[in-house]
């Protein structure tokens, strides 16, 4: 069913209020009558708490990739179930559901797994000494999680990585790495016996409250945020690890709840400096890695373009003429590796081929390639903070600055001050810059603020933390 069919002549609310739902609402503005957002945690003229919902209305649209089950359950207390519709991301499209599929059975199984986890955790409190280190990666395996996981595996530690990404799991299993299926019964058994549980995103909202007080949870997160984040209210971690005290004070400690916020660095940034082996490159496109390394070491231009994810599925591809870009790169003997979000990749015309443009797997790990990148092209992505460690040029292609800045409710850091590079607003300006040499910028001030360490020893520091806390 399309939005046009569902909402024609209808009155509706949207919940919760996030950048994703504000972008969705812009696409729905020609359908029906929008009554406002529903969100228990925010206040504004067009944002209501659930108890303020007023009749008459026809639908409440729920759009939250990680929390729709909880929101559905909460809204159902004040609304008729037949008026609730869940919106899902289906490739590069939206999908409308009448209700959570198999909700009763899902809830029953989840409750059983909670009980099972509680029993496992108490059993290992009494009868065993915990040693297992469990990494959790929902949807995709993040670069911080993977870098630390591989480092600890090489040290001979009893690690295991749980994921529901079948393709990446098969790739790592083929390399002999210990991988398991996320949310399986075996996973909950391992969760209950692990000494350390580590994530680098906040999208797995499992029953952390059932863990033992003797188990330790760690949130690595996935980068320094330029855009504002919502508070992660579901979990209080034992440790949150970031690259600097400044980042904690100005951004992450405000949204990630933890008993201790430690400034040890991001494991993925070790990949910008260290020498790589086969395990480091398991999730990286090896052909593109070899191409970038060979060209970089021979003094030839290697560009990487990594735009941040747009919250709108309709605007996921940047305004670029790939044919013209390919021709310009040919003239300057350069290549560009592009890494887009999966929604953007779904809109690419894969029938076209280029001589100097290469597309990296959307969920792959491009950080090893950044070591051999001459110039980074990005916009608001956290990757640019990390790239500061290499003291190389950055081009900021901010073609939708006003719209993006407004939708995100502003940025954490002033863009003019904290985006140290050449800023362009359209594709013509971007293409004109590619063949030029850029005067060096003094970024020492920014590096000292955002990074307490400028080395490839982050994973070692985190391991020392584990050893210290284990006694």
């Amino acid at each position: 069913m399309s939005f046009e069919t569902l909402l024609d002549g209808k009155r509706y609310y949207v919940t919760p209020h996030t950048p994703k739902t504000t972008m969705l609402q812009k696409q729905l503005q020609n359908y029906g009558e929008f009554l406002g957002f529903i969100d228990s945690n925010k206040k504004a003229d067009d944002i209501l708490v659930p108890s303020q919902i007023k009749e008459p209305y026809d639908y409440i649209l729920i759009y939250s990739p990680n929390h729709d089950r909880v929101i559905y359950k909460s809204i159902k207390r004040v609304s008729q179930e037949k008026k609730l519709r869940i919106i899902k991301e289906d490739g590069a499209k939206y999908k409308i559901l009448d209700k959570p599929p198999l909700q009763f059975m899902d809830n029953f199984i989840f409750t059983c797994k909670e009980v099972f986890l509680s029993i496992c955790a108490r059993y290992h409190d009494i009868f065993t000494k915990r040693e297992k280190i469990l990494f959790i990666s929902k949807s995709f395996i993040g670069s911080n999680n993977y870098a630390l996981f591989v480092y600890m595996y090489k040290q001979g530690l009893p690690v295991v990585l749980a994921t529901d990404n079948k393709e990446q799991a098969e790739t790592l299993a083929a390399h002999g790495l210990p991988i398991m299926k996320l949310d399986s019964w075996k996973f909950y058994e391992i969760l209950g016996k692990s000494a350390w549980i580590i994530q680098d995103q906040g999208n797995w909202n499992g029953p952390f409250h059932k863990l033992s007080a003797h188990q330790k949870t760690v949130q690595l997160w996935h980068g320094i945020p330029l855009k504002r984040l919502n508070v992660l209210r579901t979990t209080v971690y034992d440790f949150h690890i970031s690259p600097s005290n400044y980042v904690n004070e100005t951004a992450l400690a405000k949204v990630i709840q933890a008993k201790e916020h430690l400034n040890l660095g991001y494991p993925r940034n070790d990949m910008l400096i260290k020498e790589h082996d086969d395990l480091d490159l398991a999730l990286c496109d090896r052909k593109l890695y070899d191409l970038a390394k060979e060209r970089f070491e021979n003094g030839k231009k290697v560009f990487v373009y990594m735009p941040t994810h747009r919250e709108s599925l309709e605007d996921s591809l940047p305004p670029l003429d790939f044919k013209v870009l390919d021709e310009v790169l040919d003239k300057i003997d350069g290549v560009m590796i592009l890494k887009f979000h999966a929604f953007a990749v779904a809109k690419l015309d894969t029938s076209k081929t280029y001589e100097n443009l290469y597309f990296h797997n959307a969920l792959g790990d491009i950080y090893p390639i950044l070591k051999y990148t001459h110039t980074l092209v990005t916009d608001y992505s956290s990757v640019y903070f990390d790239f500061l460690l290499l003291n190389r040029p950055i081009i900021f292609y901010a073609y939708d600055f006003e719209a993006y800045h407004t939708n995100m409710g502003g940025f954490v850091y002033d863009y003019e001050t904290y985006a140290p590079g050449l800023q362009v607003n359209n594709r013509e300006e971007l293409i004109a810059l590619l063949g030029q040499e850029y005067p060096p910028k003094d970024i020492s001030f920014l590096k000292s603020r955002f990074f307490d360490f400028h080395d490839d020893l982050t994973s070692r520091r985190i391991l020392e933390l584990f050893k210290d806390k284990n006694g």
Side-chain angles (χ1 to χ4, degrees), residues 312-328:
S312 167
L313 302 193
E314 297 299 318
D315 300 325
S316 50
L317 263 183
L320 281 177
D321 186 323
F322 293 124
K323 183 175 183 296
V324 172
L325 182 58
D326 188 46
E327 292 171 351
V328 170

Side-chain angles (χ1 to χ4, degrees), residues 305 319-320 325 336 377 395-397 424-435 438:
Y305 179 36
L320 281 177
L325 182 58
M336 179 177 285
V377 183
I395 299 175
F396 292 89
Y397 181 30
V424 296
N425 299 315
N426 56 66
R427 59 190 179 190
E428 290 76 21
E429 292 176 345
L430 171 63
I431 288 175
L433 281 178
L434 293 183
Y438 322 112

Side-chain angles (χ1 to χ4, degrees), residues 132-138 140-153 157-164 172 178-182 187 190-191 194 196-200 204 208 218 220 267 459 462-463 466:
K132 186 74 71 177
I133 302 172
L134 173 64
F135 291 80
I136 297 176
S137 292
K138 181 182 177 182
F140 64 95
I141 300 172
S143 49
N144 275 325
N145 241 19
Y146 185 69
L148 183 60
F149 165 69
V150 166
Y151 176 83
M152 290 188 169
Y153 174 79
L157 298 174
V159 298
V160 62
L161 190 150
T163 184
D164 56 355
L172 298 188
I179 303 297
M180 68 183 312
K181 185 178 179 181
L182 181 63
F187 163 77
I190 299 299
L191 181 59
S194 294
W196 294 86
I197 298 98
I198 305 166
Q199 290 181 281
D200 65 354
W204 188 77
F208 283 103
V218 179
L220 300 175
S459 291
I462 296 174
L463 178 55
F466 286 13

Side-chain angles (χ1 to χ4, degrees), residues 77-94:
R77 297 170 185 164
V78 296
S79 176
Q80 299 177 55
E81 193 168 4
K82 67 180 181 180
K83 293 187 175 184
L84 304 184
R85 292 292 184 274
I86 290 177
I87 311 302
K88 285 287 190 183
E89 297 166 355
D90 183 17
K93 299 179 180 179
Y94 296 106

Side-chain angles (χ1 to χ4, degrees), residues 182-367:
L182 181 63
D183 285 325
S184 64
W185 286 97
K186 183 66 175 178
F187 163 77
Y188 280 95
E189 177 189 346
I190 299 299
L191 181 59
K193 71 184 294 185
S194 294
W196 294 86
I197 298 98
I198 305 166
Q199 290 181 281
D200 65 354
Q201 21 184 341
N203 61 353
W204 188 77
N205 303 301
F208 283 103
H209 61 285
K210 296 295 183 180
L211 296 176
S212 163
H214 300 289
Q215 297 177 275
K216 302 299 181 184
T217 55
V218 179
Q219 177 59 261
L220 300 175
W221 204 237
H222 48 261
I224 300 170
L226 178 64
K227 57 190 179 185
R228 298 187 183 280
L229 304 172
N230 292 327
V231 178
L232 301 181
R233 301 180 184 278
T234 56
T235 304
V236 178
Y237 299 92
D238 289 293
F239 302 99
H240 161 238
I241 294 173
S242 84
S244 76
N245 190 57
Y246 179 74
V247 172
N248 273 328
E249 290 180 345
T250 56
L252 291 178
K254 298 178 180 180
V255 297
I256 297 175
Q257 300 180 91
K259 297 173 184 176
E260 292 188 55
H261 296 270
L262 304 176
N263 314 319
L264 303 178
Y266 284 144
R268 70 185 186 186
N269 288 343
D270 293 352
M271 296 296 166
L272 302 179
I273 303 170
K274 72 185 292 288
E275 294 298 318
H276 307 128
D277 59 28
D278 286 341
L279 290 183
D280 295 327
L281 302 175
L283 295 178
C284 183
D285 187 315
R286 189 60 183 264
K287 290 183 179 179
L288 296 187
Y289 174 85
D290 291 340
L291 170 72
K293 182 178 180 181
E294 186 275 330
R295 289 186 60 88
F296 186 86
E297 291 180 342
N298 284 284
K300 296 184 178 181
K301 293 286 183 68
V302 178
F303 300 90
V304 165
Y305 179 36
M306 290 180 65
T308 197
H309 168 51
R310 266 59 180 177
E311 303 298 343
S312 167
L313 302 193
E314 297 299 318
D315 300 325
S316 50
L317 263 183
L320 281 177
D321 186 323
F322 293 124
K323 183 175 183 296
V324 172
L325 182 58
D326 188 46
E327 292 171 351
V328 170
L329 289 167
D330 187 61
K331 292 177 182 177
I332 65 174
D333 193 19
V335 298
M336 179 177 285
I337 298 170
L338 305 94
K339 186 173 187 289
F340 293 143
H341 190 276
F343 296 147
V345 172
K347 295 193 171 189
L348 285 174
D349 184 353
T350 56
S351 65
K352 295 182 179 180
T353 59
Y354 305 96
E355 294 295 324
N356 308 289
L357 296 178
Y358 302 87
F359 296 92
H360 197 283
N361 184 308
L363 298 182
D365 183 10
I366 200 170
Y367 264 68

